[in-house]
């Protein structure tokens, strides 16, 4: 594991926010571009955007954002289905449009009915076998896509960084084999240490060198000027949704200083290289990240005060490949 003085920071700009009660209105392409400009004003390494029902195409949205930003990394969703070379070409196109700032978040997917059946089988021998098969196919897909970048589809920064979300050993292995960034979802510092150790062991097993993979901890955030105000915000959102905030990641509720305390602990003691924050409501929580959290991290010497690179690989300190 490499030693670094400053942490990396990114944000997930999905829909109207990560909370189910985030105002359900469609963002226009121009509004998404404005969100990305806000994140760039906060010097974030990159943002991620996902596709989904009622949402605009993430790759096309970020192609627009590439024209109105200069430094921030742009990471759309990229399901591992279809033609790997065509998939690699789409990512390479965004990389050229952005001057070397593109990444991609592959996702192993099944169809809606198959996903429901698979979810019902999780934890059973049949379910485990089907998950292993799904991720084996994703591994083959990424091998072919990477070969396309290296041979047939030139990019602007070398290979665009591959970022994968992982919750357990099978997806950890996929990330350790093919990823440049892995998003993990620890419950606390001890859990983060355990996850980091497992991911690093799988990276070594895959024959990849130290420093080849950045571990980002995902945190859903509900922010305000004080813990009390943030808790009131969350309570109102939960009431509107009719249920507590359901999240695979830790849900942090509080002020920017308190969030900085958590991130500093997970960076210094837990082994996280960086963080992907999931704003509960956009643009509200993203604005607080940029105007509240980032200055606190900068004062503590934990985050950059200016961009020093122009490519996403450069922001992440990844070797050119």
């Amino acid at each position: 594991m490499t030693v670094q003085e400053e942490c990396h920071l990114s944000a997930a700009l999905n829909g109207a926010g990560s909370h189910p009660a985030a105002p359900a209105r469609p963002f226009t392409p121009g509004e998404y571009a404005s969100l990305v400009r806000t994140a760039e004003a906060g010097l974030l390494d990159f943002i991620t955007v996902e596709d989904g029902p009622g949402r605009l195409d993430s790759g096309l949205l970020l192609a627009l954002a590439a024209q109105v930003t200069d430094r921030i990394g742009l990471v759309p969703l990229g399901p591992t289905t279809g033609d790997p070379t065509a998939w690699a070409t789409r990512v390479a196109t965004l990389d050229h449009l952005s001057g070397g700032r593109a990444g991609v978040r592959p996702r192993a997917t099944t169809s809606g009915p198959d996903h429901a059946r698979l979810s019902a089988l999780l934890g059973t021998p049949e379910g485990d076998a089907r998950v292993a098969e799904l991720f084996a196919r994703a591994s083959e897909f990424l091998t072919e896509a990477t070969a396309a970048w290296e041979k047939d589809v030139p990019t602007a920064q070398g290979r665009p960084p591959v970022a994968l979300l992982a919750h357990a050993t099978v997806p950890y292995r996929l990330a350790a084999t093919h990823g440049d960034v892995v998003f993990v979802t620890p419950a606390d510092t001890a859990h983060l240490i355990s996850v980091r150790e497992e991911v690093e062991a799988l990276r070594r097993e895959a024959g990849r060198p130290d420093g080849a993979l950045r571990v980002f901890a995902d945190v859903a955030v509900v922010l305000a000027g004080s813990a009390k105000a943030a808790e009131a915000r969350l309570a109102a959102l939960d009431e509107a949704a009719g249920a507590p905030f359901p999240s695979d990641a830790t849900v942090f509720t509080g002020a920017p200083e308190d969030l900085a305390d958590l991130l500093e602990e997970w960076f210094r003691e837990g082994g996280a290289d960086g963080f992907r924050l999931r704003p509960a409501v956009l643009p509200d929580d993203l604005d607080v990240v940029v105007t509240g959290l980032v200055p606190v991290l900068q004062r503590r010497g934990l985050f950059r005060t200016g961009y020093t690179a122009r490519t996403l690989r450069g922001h992440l300190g990844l070797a050119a490949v």
Side-chain angles (χ1 to χ4, degrees), residues 38 63 74 123 127 156 190 250 299 305:
T38 296
L74 307 170
T250 290
R299 288 195 296 271
T305 55

Side-chain angles (χ1 to χ4, degrees), residues 184-233:
V184 299
T185 54
D188 52 33
T189 305
H191 186 204
L192 174 57
I193 292 170
S194 175
V195 169
R196 175 90 202 207
E197 290 174 347
E198 181 174 7
V199 168
E200 290 292 345
L202 292 168
R203 175 193 56 76
R204 291 191 294 271
E205 182 182 298
R208 300 181 65 199
D210 289 349
L213 181 63
R214 301 286 180 262
V215 176
F216 276 53
D218 271 20
V219 184
V221 295
V222 183
L223 300 171
S226 68
K228 184 177 180 179
E231 289 165 1
R233 279 193 67 215

Side-chain angles (χ1 to χ4, degrees), residues 19-318:
H19 196 287
R25 68 177 184 85
F27 279 86
T28 66
E31 286 172 322
Y32 262 112
S34 179
L35 290 172
V36 180
R37 287 198 299 269
T38 296
E40 185 173 66
L43 306 174
L44 272 60
D45 291 68
F46 60 88
I47 54 89
T48 63
V49 177
E50 295 193 3
D51 303 316
R55 298 180 185 176
L56 300 176
D57 180 274
S58 61
L60 294 177
L61 281 174
L62 293 183
L64 171 63
Q67 304 308 300
V68 296
T69 56
D70 297 311
R71 295 293 187 96
I72 193 166
L74 307 170
V75 182
L77 188 69
T80 54
T81 56
D83 179 356
T85 299
W87 186 91
T89 300
R90 288 194 296 274
V91 178
T93 300
L94 178 60
D95 199 50
H96 282 285
L97 289 172
S98 64
R101 294 184 284 130
V104 64
R105 187 173 91 72
R107 183 168 66 187
T109 60
T110 57
S111 67
D114 285 344
H115 180 78
R117 286 193 292 270
L118 181 57
S119 296
L121 290 170
L122 289 179
T124 69
E126 180 183 355
D128 292 346
R130 291 179 64 178
V131 167
E133 180 183 358
L134 177 67
F135 279 88
R137 290 200 303 267
S139 182
E140 292 172 4
F141 183 99
L142 291 174
T143 296
E144 293 183 37
T146 299
W149 284 326
E150 293 173 349
K151 298 177 182 178
D152 306 316
V153 185
T155 61
Q157 64 174 322
R159 190 183 70 205
V162 172
L164 296 113
L165 175 64
H167 303 298
T169 298
V170 171
Y172 291 158
R173 179 172 286 108
L174 181 69
T177 302
H178 296 282
D180 300 285
V181 174
V182 57
F183 302 122
V184 299
T185 54
D188 52 33
T189 305
H191 186 204
L192 174 57
I193 292 170
S194 175
V195 169
R196 175 90 202 207
E197 290 174 347
E198 181 174 7
V199 168
E200 290 292 345
L202 292 168
R203 175 193 56 76
R204 291 191 294 271
E205 182 182 298
R208 300 181 65 199
D210 289 349
L213 181 63
R214 301 286 180 262
V215 176
F216 276 53
D218 271 20
V219 184
V221 295
V222 183
L223 300 171
S226 68
K228 184 177 180 179
E231 289 165 1
R233 279 193 67 215
L234 178 58
L237 288 167
D238 287 349
E239 182 178 3
F245 189 178
S247 179
D248 55 321
T250 290
V251 176
F252 174 87
T253 307
E257 285 274 359
D258 302 321
L259 178 56
D261 290 342
L262 174 66
L263 302 189
E264 182 170 8
E265 179 179 336
W266 282 10
F267 174 63
R268 296 194 185 284
E269 301 177 24
D273 297 306
F275 306 92
R276 182 173 66 155
L277 304 180
R278 303 182 189 176
V281 177
L282 291 169
D284 307 44
D285 290 294
L286 177 64
D287 290 342
V288 180
V289 166
V290 169
T291 63
L293 173 68
V294 167
V296 174
L297 294 175
Q298 289 170 333
R299 288 195 296 271
R300 297 184 187 187
L302 290 170
F303 191 62
R304 65 170 66 91
T305 55
Y307 284 115
T308 58
R310 289 196 169 272
T311 68
L312 180 51
R313 295 196 74 84
H315 294 335
L316 294 170
L318 295 168

